[in-house]
Amino acid sequence: MKKKEKITMNDIAREAGVSQATVSLILNNSQSIKLSDETRQRVISTAQKLGYKKIPSPHQMEGQEEIAVLVNGMPGYDPFVDAFNQARDAAWRNSTLLTIYDYGNDDELAIHIIRQLEQRRCTGIILAAPITSAINFAPFENCTRIPLVLLNVYDRNYPMVPTFLPNDYANALQITRHLIAQGAKRIAHITGDRWMDASQHRLEGYKAALSTAGLTCDPELVIHTNWQLNESYRATCQLMQSSQPPDAIFCSSDWIALGCYQALASLQINIPQEVMVAGYDDQRYTSQLTPELTSVQLPYAELGRLAVEYLCEGEDAATQVTMTGKLMVRQSTQR
């Protein structure tokens, strides 16, 4: 039986009535030379008819629209990466590419990137950061006519700018309520930096849950740190060696919870039998700790998707979306 001959670009060129160079440019998705849409379609249709295998996806054709994410610092692995993944998928479902630029908290660089985006078919811009924080939106107010939304950042002075945020207050509220439901009476809270709004909102949610349950908020049970492992280690030792140690500790991040775990191990205090521990962020390693760590899974994936869909649908109304995360109850709070 004679083996079927391989279809070449020369075969396609003869059938389509164009040069082999033209076929090569189109099938390699080159944008270096302007070719008519009719010629591109004729070459691709001919290639399909002849059974040529390496035909570019329709998404790769000239003029592809994009949505740009300008992020203030790129995390290695962080739950915030989920926002990028869902944003990318949502953009692709809307025949749009998602491009990501790290502007490193340099507003001048960010505005330069936006100027470049104005020269392309940019559907919208997402200004983002991996840590929920307030920003100064003033430099961006009139810098572009491209629709712009905020993801995980906000400026209270610009309520008309569409903003998508996790609800730190509500998340801390549900963690603390869970600890109370498990029987905890003296719940400590190890926070991050005082100046960060995220730290303050989590502290407020913690206090509100105690107040609703009729429990006193003892100032000695609240210790501020700078998010460092050694700081949370020290804070935990201070709490557990006091005259009235806590029976539960709510850590303002999973990283802080790691330092807490180390301190309790060095003090030979069992989790959760002697003290319950809860984290925040639901990092990947939380289910690999011993015991597995209870934490809050932040809604970054959903927020990233919503931000992209807002831009793709051409919405122009102001919107302020805040979403509560999902409490992931594990062994560290189950007695």
Side-chain angles (χ1 to χ4, degrees), residues 78 121 135 164 174 188 228 234 249 268 278 299 306 315:
D78 186 278
R121 296 184 62 188
I135 63 166
F164 299 82
Q174 68 170 324
Q228 297 300 312
R234 177 195 58 77
I249 302 174
Q268 297 184 329
L306 290 173
E315 298 284 351

Side-chain angles (χ1 to χ4, degrees), residues 123-262:
T123 300
I125 296 170
I126 300 173
L127 197 61
I131 297 175
T132 308
S133 54
I135 63 166
N136 178 18
F137 185 72
F140 302 97
E141 182 178 10
N142 298 309
C143 76
T144 183
R145 290 172 300 202
I146 301 174
L148 188 150
V149 304
L150 305 181
L151 175 62
N152 210 36
V153 296
Y154 60 93
D155 189 332
R156 300 300 186 205
N157 295 319
Y158 291 86
M160 299 303 290
V161 180
T163 304
F164 299 82
L165 292 168
N167 193 329
D168 282 314
Y169 174 90
N171 290 334
L173 188 74
Q174 68 170 324
I175 290 176
T176 310
R177 282 178 172 172
H178 165 69
L179 293 171
I180 294 169
Q182 292 298 108
K185 301 295 183 183
R186 286 182 57 77
I187 303 173
H189 182 37
I190 304 177
T191 83
D193 287 304
R194 293 173 185 264
W195 60 267
M196 290 186 65
D197 286 350
S199 297
Q200 291 302 316
H201 294 161
R202 293 170 200 182
L203 177 59
E204 290 166 7
Y206 156 80
K207 289 181 176 179
L210 293 180
S211 177
T212 302
L215 298 176
T216 302
C217 180
D218 185 346
E220 292 187 1
L221 293 179
V222 178
I223 300 183
H224 299 274
T225 72
N226 58 2
W227 303 103
Q228 297 300 312
L229 209 64
N230 60 338
E231 284 285 301
S232 62
Y233 183 100
R234 177 195 58 77
T236 304
C237 290
Q238 178 181 330
L239 287 167
M240 300 311 298
Q241 291 172 341
S242 67
S243 58
Q244 291 183 291
D247 53 8
I249 302 174
F250 164 31
C251 298
S252 199
S253 75
D254 293 338
W255 183 248
I256 286 177
L258 280 180
C260 179
Y261 266 48
Q262 291 178 348

Side-chain angles (χ1 to χ4, degrees), residues 77-79 253-255 280-288 295-297 330:
Y77 175 75
D78 186 278
S253 75
D254 293 338
W255 183 248
Y280 194 101
D281 294 330
D282 199 37
Q283 297 272 2
R284 285 184 178 176
Y285 54 75
T286 54
S287 61
Q288 299 174 22
S295 189
V296 167
Q297 186 181 80
R330 302 190 179 96

Side-chain angles (χ1 to χ4, degrees), residues 44-63:
I44 289 174
S45 297
T46 302
Q48 289 173 331
K49 183 177 72 173
L50 295 177
Y52 190 75
K53 302 297 184 185
K54 298 179 181 178
I55 299 175
S57 164
H59 287 291
Q60 297 175 321
M61 299 308 291
E62 181 181 8

